[in-house]
């Protein structure tokens, strides 16, 4: 897909205007800050302090103590001498000399940076407060002894700084630091204003002489202003002031892209502009600080620069017409070009037809669109919820035998039910699986080639299913099947190639990727841990909270990461049930700064000890599974200016360490922010300097509560002494309760009581009926359609299927349909439609909690009848490619547990009467459907031991050992064998 451009973009650098177009050449006043008496006082005290610290300290040490180190090579006897007061003083003197040397180095670095104008001073290792003190003293001294231009990064030198990797974050943080260079910046602004006035006057003089052509007269230019306070010039603001619309910044960017600036550098990204640069403006630009093309003859240096720059316009546009240059790299995130979409659309986009009807269906069915439109978030939440429910089942299973709480998960109601249905509709587990395999496969391929992982700022999942990885800088050709994308900073993987990837044990390379929203049918995942500094998010408190919650929930549950720590500050204490092992809540920003300061130092030390440049290098090394897990900080409460500066300093090196920061701000002005975003009340996520305007992915507060309720209700530790959960649907198991329609799901799928539908729709109708039978509480129509058509379907197709399903199921003798719609709009089956799973649950419930409790004969008969129904796994003969929705279900965990419970209960029933063979028969039957249940093996060992047949017990032990494989027997099984068969270890040793 071609890059989007504003419709009003100029077609040439020489855009002309009509004669009626006013020409604005108003000179700008020159603001010159005069030195005050206070400045001279500060400079004097700074000079005195520097003289004392730089000259006085070493002089005093030389006079009072002398040279502290020995004059020759010390002997062994010297090391054995006792430490005297003199020795101790010499040690302290060495420490003071080292501190003096470090401070002197800081002073030299700061003087060089301030006088030569090379930009932000380099950091002296381990200096910290010493360098800050040196910077303040040097700035105060030079304030009265140097020109304004020399106190700030020079216009001709500011482009010399490296902008690769993590230096960008440092530069951004330093440029936005209040107080350090405020006076210097103000004077630099005065100089720039004088330059602008001089250029304006020169242009007016040249126009009065008529020495320029019509084309050059109508070409307007703007010189980028130095920062003033916390304000930095940006293309968005320039476009807003002079073109009336900030979104037209792209036109300015296209006019000036790759053109050589006065300092010798080039504009390659809209987010990286520098004071002193010249921007050619579109022909309709207006404003008093614009200048037109001047003549070069006899002009000033500023006039000559504008004239020379204007001559490069046609060349630059010629390059653009030929596709020269690229927009990637640095800290700019751009939309990738897309290939033509294939005939079959990918599942992760859920087909536009389905999304087109979302708004109308939301009003009639009440499902939250925020989850339906977030397929990766929904898949993560649904997967985590399924794991939580399985954990509760297994924990309950080993707590007691029979009649326990936890066999059936609680059925959600109200908002929680709507949230669960929205998760089922919106989730795209296949998209998550492909993303995870693609990224791990890339890491494995790079590791095999001994290549490091490139820094990736973002990933785009495009409308046709391709994955575009946007890199911070060109990193060569990617390993196959990855290809270069639209330029050297894009690596692209086609969906068809991604589907060929197999599972790999490589570490997750980019676990910090998180969905922010969609743009032109492409979904953006920003890599938070790679951002060179802080990411700020402005907007109203409620809108920011919805973004923060979405980011936290997806990071906590996504399927493309391994271990991770997510620290929440100022929000999210109620979100921790989503992933207690990942989410951590801190009360205050002070706690956060203390924690992150310690972790930053620890990570730096660990990386240095391991010999890695960054965590990306470590993730492809031998320790990839044990180190370098990301730590992402989400700070919703706006920090104070001091706290923001502390965070900015911590974040300056964070991307190298695998740490990312997303910080909320009410005003949108956050010192040290490398990337700035804003969420609007209309659900837009804007990042003008990154070139982004997204439909934001949000998780509003009511939806947060509903999702959290699902997890809290499924907590395995919650209310363990509560009442036993009854099956959702109990069947009349007497002769009078014979159903009209009977479906056998446990084993091969069979239906009794209905004719087999004709044509290709038979399989679809069978699958729909199976889904309804497994959810007697009701199924939302959209959940049914998304289960049958994961890639989306239109309303008329879904309604046609429901009509056929109603006709196939028919009506009861009283004329009521067997497929009904309840008050919430969900589809339910009549009681006359029954499955063998319903009967199995009802028999076990009646045997353990109903009539079987008081009658041993009834209990034995009910348990025997239940075990006979078990013919194999659920839907054993289901066709490949269908019934994918079963991955969202926990029935695959429920059914084996239910069968094991029945086998255990029936075994106990027989052993009471010393019928060991009957008990063994029941346990073996249960093991056919639940071979991994340790409880069944334990009871089988006890039942076999009760027969007194040692050889038979030894054979069973050998079979159990062979099944355990390399992992060996569980500890409890070993303990039981030690009790029942003390010689079992001798048999293992003999076999070994």
């Amino acid at each position: 897909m071609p890059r989007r451009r504003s419709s009003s973009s100029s077609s040439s650098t020489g855009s002309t205007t009509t004669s009626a177009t006013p020409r604005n050449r108003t000179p700008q006043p020159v603001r010159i800050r005069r030195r005050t008496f206070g400045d001279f006082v500060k400079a004097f005290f700074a000079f005195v302090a520097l003289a004392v610290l730089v000259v006085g300290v070493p002089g005093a040490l030389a006079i009072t103590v002398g040279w502290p180190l020995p004059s020759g090579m010390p002997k062994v006897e010297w090391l054995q001498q006792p430490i005297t007061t003199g020795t101790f003083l010499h040690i302290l003197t060495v420490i003071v000399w080292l501190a003096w040397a470090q401070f002197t180095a800081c002073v030299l670095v700061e003087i060089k940076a301030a006088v030569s104008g090379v930009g932000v001073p380099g950091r002296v290792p381990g200096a910290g407060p010493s360098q800050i003190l040196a910077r303040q003293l040097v700035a105060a001294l030079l304030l009265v002894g140097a020109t304004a231009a020399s106190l700030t990064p020079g216009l001709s030198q500011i482009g010399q700084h490296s902008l690769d990797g993590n230096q960008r974050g440092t530069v951004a943080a330093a440029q936005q630091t209040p107080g350090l260079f405020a006076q210097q910046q103000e004077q630099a602004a005065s100089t720039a204003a004088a330059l602008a006035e001089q250029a304006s006057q020169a242009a007016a003089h040249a126009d009065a002489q008529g020495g320029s052509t019509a084309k050059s007269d109508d070409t307007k230019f703007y010189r980028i202003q130095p920062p003033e306070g916390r304000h930095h010039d940006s293309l968005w603001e320039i476009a807003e002031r002079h073109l009336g619309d900030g979104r037209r910044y792209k036109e300015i960017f296209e006019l000036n892209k790759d053109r050589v600036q006065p300092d010798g550098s080039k504009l390659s990204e809209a987010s990286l502009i520098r004071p002193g640069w010249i921007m050619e403006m579109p022909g309709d630009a207006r404003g008093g600080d614009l200048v037109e093309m001047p003549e070069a003859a006899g002009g000033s240096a500023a006039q000559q620069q504008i004239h020379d720059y204007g001559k490069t316009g046609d060349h630059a546009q010629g390059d653009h017409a030929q596709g020269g240059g690229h927009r990637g790299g640095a800290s700019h995130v751009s939309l990738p070009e897309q290939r033509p979409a294939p005939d079959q659309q990918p599942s992760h986009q859920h087909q536009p037809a389905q999304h087109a009807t979302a708004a109308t269906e939301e009003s009639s069915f009440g499902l939250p669109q925020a989850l339906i439109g977030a397929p990766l978030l929904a898949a993560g939440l649904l997967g985590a919820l399924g794991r939580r429910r399985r954990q509760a089942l297994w924990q309950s299973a080993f707590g007691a035998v029979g009649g326990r709480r936890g066999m059936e998960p609680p059925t959600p109601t109200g908002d929680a039910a709507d949230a669960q249905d929205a998760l089922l509709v919106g989730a795209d587990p296949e998209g998550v699986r492909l993303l995870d395999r693609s990224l791990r496969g890339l890491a494995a391929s790079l590791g095999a080639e001994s290549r490091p992982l490139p820094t990736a700022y973002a990933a785009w999942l495009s409308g046709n299913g391709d994955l575009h990885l946007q890199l911070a800088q060109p990193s060569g050709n990617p390993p196959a099947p990855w290809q270069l994308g639209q330029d050297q900073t894009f690596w692209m993987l086609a969906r068809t190639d991604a589907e060929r990837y197999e599972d790999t044990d490589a570490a997750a390379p980019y676990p910090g990727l998180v969905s922010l929203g969609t743009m032109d049918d492409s979904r953006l995942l920003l890599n938070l841990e790679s951002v060179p500094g802080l990411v700020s998010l402005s907007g109203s408190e409620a809108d920011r909270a919805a973004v923060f919650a979405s980011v936290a929930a997806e990071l906590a549950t996504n399927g493309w990461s391994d271990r991770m720590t997510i620290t929440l500050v100022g929000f999210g204490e109620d979100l921790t049930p989503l992933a207690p092992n990942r989410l951590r809540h801190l009360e205050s920003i002070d706690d956060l700064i203390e924690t992150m300061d310690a972790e930053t130092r620890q990570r730096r030390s660990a990386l240095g000890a391991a010999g890695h440049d960054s965590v990306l290098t470590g993730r492809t090394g031998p320790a990839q599974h044990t180190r370098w897990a990301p730590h992402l900080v989400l700070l919703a409460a706006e920090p104070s200016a001091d706290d923001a500066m502390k965070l900015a300093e911590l974040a300056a090196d964070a991307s190298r360490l695998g740490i990312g920061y997303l910080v909320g701000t009410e005003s949108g002005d956050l010192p040290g922010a490398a990337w700035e975003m804003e969420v609007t009340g209309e659900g837009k996520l804007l990042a003008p300097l990154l070139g982004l305007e997204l439909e934001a992915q949000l998780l509003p507060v009511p939806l947060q509560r509903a999702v959290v309720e699902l997890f809290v209700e499924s907590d395995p530790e919650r209310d363990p002494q509560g009442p036993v959960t009854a099956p959702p649907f109990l069947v009349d198991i007497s002769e009078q309760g014979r159903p009209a329609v009977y479906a056998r799901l446990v084993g091969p799928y069979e239906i009794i009581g209905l004719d087999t539908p004709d044509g290709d729709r038979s399989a679809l109708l069978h699958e729909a009926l199976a889904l309804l039978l497994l959810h007697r509480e009701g199924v939302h129509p959209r959940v049914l359609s998304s289960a049958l058509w994961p890639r989306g379907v239109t309303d008329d197709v879904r309604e046609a299927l429901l009509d056929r399903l109603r006709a196939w199921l028919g009506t009861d003798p009283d004329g009521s349909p067997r497929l009904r719609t309840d008050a919430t709009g969900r589809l339910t089956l009549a009681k006359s439609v029954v499955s063998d799973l319903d009967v199995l649950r009802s028999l076990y419930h009646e045997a353990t909690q109903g009539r079987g409790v008081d009658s041993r004969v009834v209990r034995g008969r009910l348990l025997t009848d239940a075990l006979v129904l078990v013919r194999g796994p659920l839907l054993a003969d289901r066709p490949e490619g269908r019934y994918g929705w079963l991955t969202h279900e926990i029935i695959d965990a429920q059914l084996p547990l239910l069968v094991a419970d029945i086998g255990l209960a029936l075994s106990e029933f027989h052993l009471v009467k010393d019928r060991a063979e009957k008990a063994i028969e029941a346990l073996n039957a249960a093991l056919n459907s639940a071979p991994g249940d340790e409880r069944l093996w334990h009871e089988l060992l006890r039942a076999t031991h009760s027969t007194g047949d040692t050889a038979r017990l030894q054979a069973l032990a050998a079979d159990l050992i062979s099944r355990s494989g390399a992992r060996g027997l569980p500890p409890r099984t070993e303990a039981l064998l030690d009790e029942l068969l003390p010689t079992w270890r001798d048999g293992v040793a003999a076999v070994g």
Side-chain angles (χ1 to χ4, degrees):
M1 184 188 73
R3 294 191 187 94
R4 299 185 309 156
R5 294 185 176 85
S6 172
S7 59
S8 58
S9 181
S10 301
S11 60
S12 68
T13 53
S15 299
T16 59
T17 57
T18 64
S19 58
T21 302
R23 297 177 179 176
N24 223 324
R25 304 190 183 105
T26 306
Q28 299 300 303
V30 179
R31 298 180 304 159
I32 300 177
R33 182 184 182 275
R34 302 199 178 273
R35 301 180 182 90
T36 65
F37 177 75
D39 293 335
F40 286 98
V41 172
K42 291 178 183 177
F44 173 75
F45 283 112
F47 174 78
V48 172
L50 284 172
V52 170
L53 292 174
V54 176
V55 180
V57 169
L61 289 175
I63 293 173
T64 58
V65 180
W67 185 248
L69 299 178
S71 57
M73 181 66 66
K75 298 180 180 180
V76 177
E77 293 78 8
W78 180 81
L79 297 175
Q80 297 174 348
Q81 294 177 359
I83 298 177
T84 64
T85 304
T87 305
F88 183 71
L89 289 175
H90 281 124
I91 294 174
L92 290 179
T93 304
V94 171
I95 295 175
V96 174
W97 273 108
L98 292 175
W100 170 83
Q102 184 190 58
F103 178 78
T104 302
C106 293
V107 172
L108 295 175
V109 167
E110 294 297 328
I111 291 176
K112 180 180 181 297
V115 173
S116 64
V118 296
V120 178
R123 290 192 175 190
V124 177
S130 297
Q131 188 162 6
I132 294 176
L133 174 61
R135 180 177 305 163
Q136 293 173 339
L137 293 175
V138 169
L141 178 61
L142 296 184
L143 183 63
V144 297
T147 63
S150 69
L151 294 177
T152 57
L155 299 181
S156 62
Q157 299 295 328
I158 200 167
Q160 304 298 324
H161 240 336
S162 169
L163 292 174
D164 293 337
N166 296 310
Q167 285 296 329
R168 291 192 188 91
T170 306
V171 173
Q175 286 178 340
Q176 300 187 32
T177 303
L180 298 183
F181 291 108
Q183 294 173 324
Q184 297 93 317
Q185 289 172 348
E186 184 176 353
Q187 294 192 27
S190 301
T191 302
L195 287 173
E197 180 187 21
Q198 189 178 21
S200 177
Q201 292 172 348
H205 175 71
D207 182 70
Q209 293 182 345
S212 61
T213 63
K215 176 179 177 179
S216 61
D217 273 345
D218 292 334
T219 303
K220 300 179 179 65
F221 296 90
Y222 176 84
R223 185 181 287 271
I224 304 300
Q225 299 300 306
E228 184 176 348
R230 295 186 184 178
H231 174 76
H232 292 252
D233 232 344
S234 69
L235 292 187
W236 177 279
E237 293 178 339
I238 296 169
E240 201 167 49
R241 288 198 306 268
H242 301 295
L243 300 176
D245 186 353
R247 288 172 295 184
R248 292 185 62 187
Y249 78 94
K250 297 178 182 179
E251 299 177 39
I252 306 175
F253 173 77
E254 294 296 341
L255 283 173
N256 297 276
K257 183 177 67 173
D258 296 330
R259 294 169 66 176
V260 179
Q261 292 290 336
D263 63 359
S265 56
K266 297 180 180 180
L267 172 67
S268 60
E269 304 160 32
S271 58
L272 291 179
I273 59 175
R274 299 166 187 164
W277 277 10
I278 300 167
M279 293 290 114
E280 182 174 341
M281 302 292 290
D284 60 340
R286 301 288 183 273
D289 49 356
L290 297 177
V291 296
E292 297 185 6
M293 174 70 80
E295 285 291 346
S300 64
Q303 179 181 353
Q304 181 67 47
Q305 287 178 353
I306 295 176
H307 178 84
D308 293 342
Y309 184 79
K311 291 168 62 178
T312 67
D314 293 338
H315 170 71
Q317 288 201 6
D319 285 349
H320 171 65
Q322 298 171 12
H326 64 78
R327 296 180 58 185
S331 55
H332 187 81
V333 178
S334 55
L335 188 68
E337 294 177 352
Q338 299 184 25
R339 301 178 301 114
D343 293 337
Q344 191 176 28
Q345 298 202 19
S347 62
H348 79 265
Q349 291 299 327
H350 286 279
Q351 199 108 336
Q354 185 178 4
H355 283 250
T357 60
T360 57
E361 290 189 331
E362 183 179 3
S363 61
S364 58
F365 293 127
L367 294 188
Q369 180 63 20
L371 288 176
I372 294 176
L376 303 183
L377 170 61
L381 288 171
L382 198 59
L385 183 60
R387 290 190 295 273
R388 174 69 59 87
R389 288 173 172 172
R390 286 180 174 85
Q391 181 185 1
L393 282 173
W394 284 104
Q395 185 165 321
S396 179
F398 287 92
V401 176
R404 65 178 186 276
R405 174 177 171 80
M407 174 55 72
E408 300 295 337
T411 301
T413 59
D415 292 341
D418 291 340
Q420 177 173 277
D421 286 341
L423 292 176
L424 290 167
V425 173
D428 178 24
E430 177 66 9
V432 171
R433 184 182 68 86
L434 288 179
L435 176 62
D436 182 47
R437 285 186 173 183
S438 300
L439 295 176
R440 292 180 193 267
L442 174 63
S445 299
L446 290 171
E449 298 177 5
S450 299
R451 295 173 60 186
L453 284 166
T455 300
Y457 280 143
W460 291 89
L461 288 173
S462 62
N464 56 15
D466 297 341
L467 172 61
H468 300 259
L469 201 61
Q470 186 166 358
L471 310 181
Q473 58 190 2
S475 300
N477 291 324
W482 288 77
Q483 310 168 33
L484 282 176
Q486 64 199 52
D487 58 46
Q488 293 289 324
T489 62
F490 276 94
W491 285 2
M492 190 273 290
L493 181 68
R495 182 183 176 87
T496 52
D497 293 328
E499 290 171 343
R500 301 192 189 105
Y501 267 119
E502 301 292 338
D503 289 330
T504 177
D505 61 352
Y510 303 114
L513 287 170
V514 63
S515 303
L516 292 184
T518 56
M519 180 178 179
D520 291 355
D521 295 330
S522 291
R523 184 168 301 278
L524 170 65
L525 288 84
L526 187 67
N527 190 6
L528 277 180
E529 68 167 339
S530 73
V531 177
L534 302 176
V535 179
S536 71
L537 176 67
S538 60
S540 70
E541 184 177 359
D543 294 330
R544 294 200 320 267
V547 174
F548 272 103
S550 172
V551 170
E554 185 169 299
L555 287 173
T557 61
N558 73 47
W560 54 87
S561 64
D562 300 320
R563 296 181 301 111
M564 183 188 301
T565 300
I566 307 157
T567 298
L568 312 179
V569 186
F571 83 110
E573 187 173 8
D574 55 338
L575 293 176
T576 52
L578 301 183
N581 294 330
R582 285 193 179 185
L583 291 172
R584 176 179 65 176
H585 180 266
L586 294 181
E587 293 294 336
S588 68
I589 298 179
D590 291 339
D591 294 339
L592 173 68
I593 292 175
E594 181 181 356
T595 300
M596 298 313 299
D597 180 60
E599 179 161 349
T600 298
R601 285 187 277 105
Q602 187 273 332
R603 289 199 174 213
R604 283 200 190 107
S605 175
L607 275 178
H612 295 310
D613 296 330
S614 72
V615 295
L616 294 180
T617 314
R619 284 179 189 157
T620 54
Q624 57 180 331
H625 293 295
T626 58
R627 288 183 173 181
W628 325 126
H631 187 165
L632 303 176
V633 176
L634 307 182
L635 173 58
E638 181 169 10
S640 66
D642 290 342
D643 289 338
M645 289 311 306
K646 294 176 184 177
L647 290 173
E649 181 157 348
L650 289 173
D653 196 29
S655 60
R656 188 176 68 89
L657 306 176
I659 303 175
Y661 295 85
L662 177 63
V663 183
T665 170
E666 186 74 32
S667 62
D669 186 10
L670 182 69
W675 291 355
E676 297 177 346
M677 299 185 296
E678 176 189 3
V679 59
T680 70
E682 294 75 31
K684 298 285 187 181
L685 190 68
L686 307 178
L689 297 183
L690 299 180
L692 298 178
E693 184 176 343
L694 305 171
E695 293 291 337
Q697 181 171 295
L698 307 172
L699 192 63
V701 172
L703 196 52
Q704 294 175 40
R705 293 172 181 158
V707 170
V708 170
E709 182 181 339
L710 292 173
F711 281 80
V712 171
E713 290 292 331
S714 302
D715 189 349
E717 303 295 334
R718 183 175 183 268
D719 193 13
Q721 304 300 323
V724 175
T725 305
F729 177 68
L730 292 174
V731 178
D732 183 358
I733 55 177
S734 66
E735 287 295 328
Q736 293 75 25
R738 185 178 297 275
V741 178
Y742 183 65
R744 305 179 74 181
L745 305 179
V746 185
Y749 190 4
E750 299 177 20
I751 297 179
I752 302 171
L754 293 176
D755 296 330
T756 302
D758 296 330
D760 298 335
R761 298 187 181 92
S762 176
L764 208 58
L765 292 172
H766 277 73
E767 186 174 355
L769 179 57
L771 178 61
L772 290 166
L773 286 167
L774 292 177
H775 290 277
R776 302 304 303 229
E777 72 278 7
V779 177
H780 196 286
R782 294 200 67 188
V783 173
L784 179 66
S785 64
S786 65
L788 301 179
W789 294 283
R791 301 185 180 186
V793 68
T794 56
D795 295 349
D796 55 343
V797 173
R798 181 186 65 237
E799 292 303 325
L801 172 76
L802 293 179
D803 291 341
R804 294 188 188 96
L805 188 58
R806 290 188 183 95
W808 181 44
L809 292 175
T811 59
D812 283 334
D814 61 359
S816 59
R818 292 173 180 153
L819 179 62
R820 305 168 182 177
T821 303
D822 65 11
T824 65
R826 290 172 171 82
L827 302 168
T828 60
L829 292 173
K831 292 184 177 181
S832 58
V833 183
V834 173
S835 73
D836 56 353
L837 185 59
D838 297 327
V839 177
L840 188 68
R841 287 167 167 162
S842 299
L843 288 170
Y844 177 69
H845 180 77
E846 191 69 18
T848 57
Q849 301 176 48
R851 291 178 295 143
V853 174
D854 299 322
S855 173
R856 171 179 169 79
V857 175
V858 172
R859 181 166 70 255
R861 177 174 57 81
L862 292 174
L863 292 173
T864 302
D865 290 345
L867 201 56
V868 170
L869 289 176
V870 180
R871 301 175 300 126
L874 186 76
L875 298 167
D877 58 350
R878 60 180 180 267
E880 186 177 356
R882 304 296 310 179
Y883 296 86
W885 47 270
L886 280 174
T887 59
H888 298 319
E889 306 285 341
I890 63 168
I891 186 61
D892 60 337
Q894 284 178 302
L895 182 57
L897 288 176
L898 177 59
V899 173
D901 283 350
I902 295 171
L904 291 169
L906 189 55
S907 170
E908 181 187 19
F909 173 82
H910 289 304
L911 286 175
V912 170
K913 295 295 184 179
D914 295 325
R915 295 196 290 263
E917 293 299 333
K918 288 287 188 182
I920 292 172
E921 180 181 352
L923 292 169
N924 281 324
L927 279 168
N928 288 332
S929 294
D933 198 310
E934 189 180 359
R935 300 170 301 157
L936 290 175
W937 288 103
H938 289 176
E939 291 305 310
L940 185 58
L941 286 170
R942 293 188 180 97
T944 304
H945 178 264
S946 68
T947 64
D949 190 341
T950 304
R952 188 175 179 183
L953 183 59
Q954 289 175 336
L956 177 60
D959 181 34
L960 187 54
I961 293 169
S962 65
R963 290 173 180 269
S964 65
R967 293 176 299 176
L969 294 174
R972 286 183 294 187
T973 304
E974 286 189 359
L976 182 59
L977 281 173
D978 287 338
E979 176 188 347
L980 302 179
L981 188 63
T983 61
W984 72 275
R985 297 180 187 274
D986 298 334
V988 173
V991 173

